[in-house]
């Protein structure tokens, strides 16, 4: 039986007697040991935290279950969010489960097809905004300020509360925190939530050590790295196509307090890591998730030593989310044949 984030972590979450406890099976995701990338980067103990195994295929479900439970507790009937796709898929799923109206604001033309398919099928109302994620977030914040709807973006503190539970699981699975945690950065909520989780785990003495937080933005959307908002962010990793991250300051604090790094990776580096994860590790992640692995490869190639402690890369979302990017991967071992045994044997060199 899956217990879910609310039940499993209720003592560490803002859960009261009145909070409804329910689950779609979020949390308790696998921590898989690397076979190949570990060798490539010279790290004896590299693990991937497969947040893609959550019910809607991304880490967002951990925070969404808490945000939706609190919305219900507080009598809300409508949830709203801006999203590059995963938050909206998660909101749509948990909204459907709980009988809430869900309205999502997404940048027109920049949401991966699988994520849009999820929101459509879960029955959310979809507002396609003629602009980027930052425009969508600005609009939805204004709507939530003026009208009786519940904002379930990571500005809603319950979201980060739920997301911090991934750090708890890593500490529990490894028997302590890793030396380094590599994570993609978009709106900067998740790096903030992980750092909060590791700090709490440390205070509760579940771990003596704390990780260095290693965050990676896409180089075309690297506001934190460049120290200024990006007017027209651009990257193949549409999930992290964010020009003005809402949790910017908190991410910088996580970086500085942990002695970590926030750096950028190019689309080519992201696609190299994306393909390597699939072809060498058997892990199909979405491009934004590959940013954490791309960052690891970049730093290792730059001479960083990684063999004196455990390293975890967070795989934030599933490759199935973005089939259009997947089918562009080269080489593709795909050819067309007539339904004829001779032709097939001939092609396979078995004739
Ligand atoms: N990876 C994936 C797959 C994401 O969907 C996101 C963010 C991130 C990483 C970055 O996390 O924003 O907390 O720094 N997706 C948001 C969304 C923006 O709307 O789904 P972050």
């Amino acid at each position: 039986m899956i217990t879910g984030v609310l039940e499993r972590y209720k003592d560490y979450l803002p859960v009261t007697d009145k909070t409804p406890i329910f689950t779609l099976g979020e949390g308790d995701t696998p921590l898989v040991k690397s076979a190949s990338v570990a060798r490539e980067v010279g790290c004896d103990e590299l693990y991937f935290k497969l947040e893609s195994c959550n019910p809607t295929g991304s880490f967002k479900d951990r925070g969404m279950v808490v945000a939706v439970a609190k919305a219900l507790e507080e009598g809300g009937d409508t949830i709203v969010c801006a999203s590059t796709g995963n938050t909206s898929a998660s909101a749509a799923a948990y909204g459907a489960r709980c009988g809430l109206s869900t309205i999502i604001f997404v940048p027109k033309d920049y949401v991966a097809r699988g994520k849009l398919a999820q929101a459509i099928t879960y029955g959310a109302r979809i507002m396609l905004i003629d602009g980027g994620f930052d425009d969508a977030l600005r609009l939805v914040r204004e709507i939530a300020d003026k009208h009786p709807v519940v904002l379930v973006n990571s500005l809603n503190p319950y979201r980060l509360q739920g997301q911090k539970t991934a750090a708890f699981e890593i500490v529990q699975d490894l028997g302590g925190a890793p030396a380094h945690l590599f994570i993609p950065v978009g709106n900067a909520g998740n790096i903030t939530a992980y750092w909060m989780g590791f700090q709490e785990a440390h205070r509760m003495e579940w771990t003596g050590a704390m990780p260095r937080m290693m965050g990676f933005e896409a180089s075309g959307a690297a506001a934190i790295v460049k120290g200024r908002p990006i007017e027209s962010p651009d990257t193949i990793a549409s999930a992290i196509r964010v020009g003005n991250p809402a949790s910017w300051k908190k991410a910088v604090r996580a970086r500085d307090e942990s002695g970590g790094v926030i750096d950028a990776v190019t689309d080519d580096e992201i696609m190299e890591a994306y393909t390597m994860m699939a072809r060498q590790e058997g892990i199909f992640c979405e491009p934004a998730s590959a940013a954490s692995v791309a960052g690891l490869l970049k730093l290792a190639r730059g001479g960083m030593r990684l063999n004196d402690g455990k390293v975890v890369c967070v795989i934030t979302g599933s490759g199935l989310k973005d089939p259009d990017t997947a089918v562009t991967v080269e080489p593709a071992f795909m050819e067309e044949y007539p339904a004829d045994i001779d032709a097939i044997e001939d092609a396979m060199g078995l004739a």
Side-chain angles (χ1 to χ4, degrees), residues 59-60 82-87 133 184-190 239-240 242 286 288-289 316-317:
F59 70 96
K60 305 288 183 176
S83 182
T84 55
N86 280 325
T87 299
F133 168 81
V185 174
N187 209 26
N190 210 28
I240 52 173
V242 178
E286 66 171 286
S289 307
T316 48

Side-chain angles (χ1 to χ4, degrees), residues 175-260:
H180 294 92
L181 185 102
F182 284 75
I183 186 167
V185 174
N187 209 26
N190 210 28
I191 190 171
T192 304
Y194 268 84
W195 182 236
M196 184 162 76
F198 285 120
Q199 285 178 304
E200 288 184 21
H202 186 255
R203 272 202 295 279
M204 294 185 291
E205 298 181 6
W206 295 351
T207 176
M210 299 254 260
R212 293 176 69 194
M213 302 296 291
M214 315 296 282
F216 290 87
E217 298 184 294
S219 59
I224 300 175
V225 173
K226 295 192 172 135
R228 58 175 167 82
I230 307 298
E231 190 72 37
S232 304
D234 189 31
T235 169
I236 194 161
S238 59
I240 52 173
R241 190 174 173 276
V242 178
N244 191 7
S247 297
W248 185 327
K249 289 204 180 97
K250 291 182 191 153
V252 167
R253 213 177 305 141
R255 177 196 69 192
D256 295 345
E257 288 175 2
S258 72

